[in-house]
Amino acid sequence: DAGVIQSPRHEVTEMGQEVTLRCKPISGHNSLFWYRQTMMRGLELLIYFNNNVPIDDSGMPEDRFSAKMPNASFSTLKIQPSEPRDSAVYFCASSAQGSQPQHFGDGTRLSIL
Amino acid sequence: AQSVSQHNHHVILSEAASLELGCNYSYGGTVNLFWYVQYPGQHLQLLLKYFSGDPLVKGIKGFEAEFIKSKFSFNLRKPSVQWSDTAEYFCAVNGGGSNYKLTFGKGTLLTVNP
């Protein structure tokens, strides 16, 4: 079975550039989550969607971050403009309805120079 | 608000030693509890989960965890660790019902020396 698919796996870009991270959840899962992982702060929930609707975006650090889920099989996390402190590993996860376990993608390792 | 506390930041063991990683949570309602493992450079993988029923839960790779409601704890155990268990372990809690939010602890790095 295909798991959660994220792209790109690695992204290196200069500060000020727009960064777009992509996620394809597991087919049939109706909840999608974006996390950020850093050494200092651990794993932080940025935003989660249920049935393509953003339910909780309280973890989004600031207005430079935005996330969309135009359909059940695709989501994006965008940072514009990017800053060096955004460097982290960004994970996408999905789960079936209710409190089912979340399944994680391989993550995107983002480096902002 | 939910919170999860993992007591040990870094645990170092020798192979064949027994393992117990502490996890306490704070949440007033019904909870679902999880342990995830993250091997170096990889994504998080589910080790085991507790939703209801028998509070002693068995997971993959010989791991188990015990839910003690009175102590708000969900400690992870393994009788004999292997070098390949070297990884970071995350405890997580999710409020039952319509609360989809999963709150993670800070993680415990386990190093197993051969």
Side-chain angles (χ1 to χ4, degrees):
Chain A
D1 289 340
V4 176
I5 300 172
Q6 290 186 247
S7 64
R9 289 296 308 276
H10 303 273
E11 174 92 10
V12 180
T13 192
E14 294 184 344
M15 65 177 293
Q17 297 298 306
E18 178 179 290
V19 174
T20 300
L21 310 181
R22 297 173 178 81
C23 176
K24 177 178 169 55
I26 292 173
S27 177
H29 283 188
N30 65 345
S31 294
L32 184 139
F33 307 81
W34 282 101
Y35 291 90
R36 178 171 66 177
Q37 186 180 40
T38 61
M39 289 289 290
M40 292 296 294
R41 302 169 71 97
L43 201 63
E44 304 173 278
L45 177 65
L46 300 178
I47 186 170
Y48 80 87
F49 294 85
N50 189 43
N51 293 324
N52 311 340
V53 175
I55 302 299
D56 183 353
D57 64 355
S58 60
M60 296 285 264
E62 47 197 277
D63 292 345
R64 298 184 297 106
F65 285 69
S66 62
K68 294 182 179 179
M69 192 165 186
N71 57 60
S73 59
F74 183 66
S75 177
T76 60
L77 177 67
K78 190 172 292 187
I79 308 172
Q80 168 62 22
S82 58
E83 296 182 5
R85 61 194 169 116
D86 301 330
S87 298
V89 181
Y90 291 80
F91 287 104
C92 177
S94 71
S95 69
Q97 66 178 15
S99 302
Q100 297 297 320
Q102 293 177 21
H103 298 264
F104 284 76
D106 287 335
T108 295
R109 185 172 295 277
L110 178 64
S111 297
I112 308 296
L113 307 177
Chain B
Q2 299 173 149
S3 68
V4 178
S5 175
Q6 292 183 240
H7 314 300
N8 309 104
H9 178 65
H10 190 187
V11 172
I12 301 173
L13 296 173
S14 298
E15 276 194 315
S18 64
L19 170 71
E20 181 160 2
L21 301 183
C23 172
N24 287 90
Y25 67 93
S26 65
Y27 184 71
T30 303
V31 293
N32 300 312
L33 297 156
F34 308 85
W35 275 98
Y36 282 85
V37 60
Q38 186 177 28
Y39 297 102
Q42 297 188 26
H43 63 274
L44 278 81
Q45 302 172 41
L46 182 68
L47 264 183
L48 49 80
K49 61 184 185 288
Y50 172 81
F51 285 177
S52 64
D54 189 344
L56 184 61
V57 179
K58 295 197 183 297
I60 61 171
K61 305 187 181 188
F63 286 90
E64 66 178 31
E66 185 175 11
F67 170 51
I68 303 179
K69 189 175 180 180
S70 61
K71 294 184 178 180
F72 297 90
S73 71
F74 191 57
N75 291 356
L76 181 71
R77 300 195 291 249
K78 186 171 184 178
S80 176
V81 295
Q82 300 172 315
W83 175 79
S84 58
D85 293 324
T86 294
E88 190 153 18
Y89 292 80
F90 294 89
C91 180
V93 62
N94 174 297
S98 61
N99 186 346
Y100 298 97
K101 189 171 183 176
L102 194 62
T103 302
F104 284 86
K106 294 289 186 188
T108 297
L109 178 62
L110 171 67
T111 299
V112 180
N113 294 319

